[in-house]
Amino acid sequence: MKLKTRTHTRHVRWTLAIALSCGLFAQAHAATGVQVEPYGTGHDGKAVSQYTLTNAHGMVVKFISYGGILTDIDVPDRHGRKANVLLGFASLKDYQAYNGDIHFGALIGRYANRIAKGRFSLDGKDYQLEINNPPNTLHSGFHTFDDKVWTVQPLTLKGAVGAELSYVSPDGENGFPGTLTVHVRYILDDQDSLHIQYRASTDKDTVVNLTNHSYFNLGGEGSGSVENELVQIFASRYTPTDATSIPTGQIAPVAGTPLDFRRPVAIGKGLRSSDPQLLWAHGYDNNLVLDHAPSSQPALAARVYDPASGRQLELSTTQPGLQFYTANGLNGGVVGSTGKTYRQGDAFAMEAEHFPDSPNHPQFPTTELKPGQVFQQETVLHFTTR
């Protein structure tokens, strides 16, 4: 699957939204439910703001310009009681101190997931990245997209509210070639869906893999383990890894493994499996190969249901893979947004993206991006109760 400009329809939709947003910053605050508040100062001295999106049903999504971090998604349970279903911190100071390792709610780039030994070759040239997850590079290294202050422009949209975040990554940043211009849109529609739209272009051949790294607990932030939440992932295959979480290059069937989520399964059922894939990662941290065919329109990839609260999340995406992760790195050493400590299994992440270490596996969907091409992907998070 090549990274290329999507269909004319999607191009028109993106262009129309840009046109609608021009010159309407002041209107956006009042008419579209976008509120902006100061949130402190980034490492580089730039002011950080928090943006609150509210749709016609009163659903609320909050994010900050630091790292494009989603801090809150407030949705009701079956009794109408709202709760934030994202793990996160209470202050910018905590995000700055801890999120370089945890990545709560952050935009990840230039390359999400792992690259073996931080090395890849492109156009006959070898590149060496920072090693931050020995012996590999994870989520691009140190001080990446998740600790940059992004430029944010509120958008005016019909039946939705949103904002566009922009960042220009200079040639050589974190060892990657080319100046990469990135735009990400958070759009909350009136059907209680959060659309995350990614768009990137480059002035040199490069590799790119973008995602959002939100940690979900449908019982509510700080409510404890997600082991009883039921997960269904529409993937018949996965990419097995070695002991350092690097794909072997094989694409294997999920049948007969703890990674078989083709029917709803409680997260806790396989967490204590002796399968090496879970032993090495201390839980789930695996790339599932989604069954849907490449398309410009998001297809249903996963569904998670919390029997206790009745909250349900459906994830649709245009991406070919889904990294399912059970917060294995949380050990009670950080305090969350409501003053409770977080531990392993207190959340799950579903990172819609291309496969780990793709630059070193030509048989995987390509992550190469060339000048004149446009990387464009979309993931949709739809929340309901039942």
Side-chain angles (χ1 to χ4, degrees):
M1 183 176 70
K2 299 292 183 182
L3 296 180
K4 60 184 179 179
T5 305
R6 296 290 183 183
T7 62
H8 176 71
T9 301
R10 279 183 57 80
H11 178 72
V12 169
R13 185 168 66 182
W14 185 281
T15 305
L16 176 60
I18 292 175
L20 287 170
S21 68
C22 292
L24 293 176
F25 185 92
Q27 290 184 9
H29 293 276
T32 66
V34 180
Q35 283 101 33
V36 186
E37 297 177 292
Y39 201 78
T41 305
H43 296 300
D44 55 5
K46 293 182 179 177
V48 175
S49 297
Q50 183 175 65
Y51 294 78
T52 301
L53 311 178
T54 307
N55 73 3
H57 296 160
M59 179 177 166
V60 171
V61 172
K62 295 182 181 181
F63 71 91
I64 57 176
S65 54
Y66 177 80
I69 293 168
L70 289 168
T71 61
D72 296 76
I73 297 179
D74 294 341
V75 292
D77 64 9
R78 62 167 59 90
H79 303 293
R81 295 185 293 250
K82 288 186 178 180
N84 177 20
V85 297
L86 295 184
L87 271 60
F89 294 116
S91 70
L92 179 60
K93 181 180 178 180
D94 283 345
Y95 280 112
Q96 291 171 326
Y98 303 112
N99 224 35
D101 295 322
I102 300 173
H103 312 289
F104 283 149
L107 294 175
I108 304 297
R110 292 190 183 192
Y111 197 96
N113 220 310
R114 292 172 175 85
I115 294 181
K117 299 180 180 179
R119 300 173 188 165
F120 68 94
S121 297
L122 186 63
D123 301 331
K125 183 176 180 180
D126 296 332
Y127 293 91
Q128 178 64 59
L129 310 177
E130 300 165 332
I131 303 300
N132 65 329
N133 183 230
N136 306 313
T137 299
L138 174 62
H139 298 324
S140 305
F142 303 102
H143 305 297
T144 57
F145 283 11
D146 60 358
D147 82 342
K148 309 301 182 187
V149 178
W150 292 60
T151 300
V152 181
Q153 174 67 52
L155 301 172
T156 298
L157 304 165
K158 185 177 180 180
V161 58
E164 179 174 303
L165 300 86
S166 303
Y167 176 68
V168 178
S169 177
D171 185 17
E173 185 170 57
N174 299 110
F176 291 92
T179 299
L180 189 74
T181 301
V182 182
H183 302 281
V184 179
R185 291 186 163 192
Y186 291 143
I187 296 176
L188 176 62
D189 68 28
D190 288 340
Q191 286 71 52
D192 296 341
S193 294
L194 176 63
H195 301 250
I196 307 176
Q197 300 173 346
Y198 306 90
R199 186 178 175 94
S201 59
T202 182
D203 63 357
K204 288 183 185 178
D205 288 4
T206 193
V207 295
V208 62
N209 188 20
L210 305 180
T211 194
N212 176 275
H213 203 300
S214 287
Y215 288 62
F216 297 95
N217 185 322
L218 297 184
E221 180 276 335
S223 63
S225 175
V226 295
E227 291 190 29
N228 291 328
E229 296 186 13
L230 304 176
V231 173
Q232 184 174 18
I233 301 175
F234 300 95
S236 302
R237 300 174 298 162
Y238 76 107
T239 52
T241 72
D242 63 18
T244 71
S245 297
I246 292 297
T248 63
Q250 180 187 13
I251 295 180
V254 299
T257 78
L259 295 166
D260 190 350
F261 294 105
R262 290 174 294 172
R263 293 185 178 181
V265 178
I267 292 174
K269 182 176 181 180
L271 267 181
R272 291 164 181 81
S273 168
S274 61
D275 188 294
Q277 296 293 300
L278 275 76
L279 280 174
W280 290 333
H282 304 159
Y284 288 105
D285 191 6
N286 307 90
N287 174 59
L288 284 298
V289 178
L290 297 173
D291 289 337
H292 67 242
S295 173
S296 63
Q297 298 300 316
L300 183 62
R303 180 182 292 120
V304 187
Y305 172 65
D306 176 35
S309 69
R311 296 186 183 94
Q312 179 171 276
L313 165 62
E314 291 184 329
L315 184 149
S316 301
T317 189
T318 58
Q319 302 267 26
L322 189 70
Q323 187 82 9
F324 180 57
Y325 176 59
T326 47
N328 309 330
L330 299 181
N331 60 9
V334 296
V335 178
S337 57
T338 59
K340 296 179 181 178
T341 58
Y342 295 147
R343 298 188 177 275
Q344 184 181 30
D346 279 358
F348 64 89
M350 287 189 169
E351 305 155 54
E353 58 193 26
H354 277 60
F355 302 171
D357 201 34
S358 288
N360 295 312
H361 297 280
Q363 71 274 30
F364 288 175
T366 184
T367 54
E368 293 184 13
L369 184 68
K370 299 179 179 296
Q373 294 180 331
V374 177
F375 173 94
Q376 192 161 314
Q377 302 288 344
E378 181 173 6
T379 295
V380 182
L381 308 174
H382 178 59
F383 294 89
T384 57
T385 56
R386 65 183 176 93

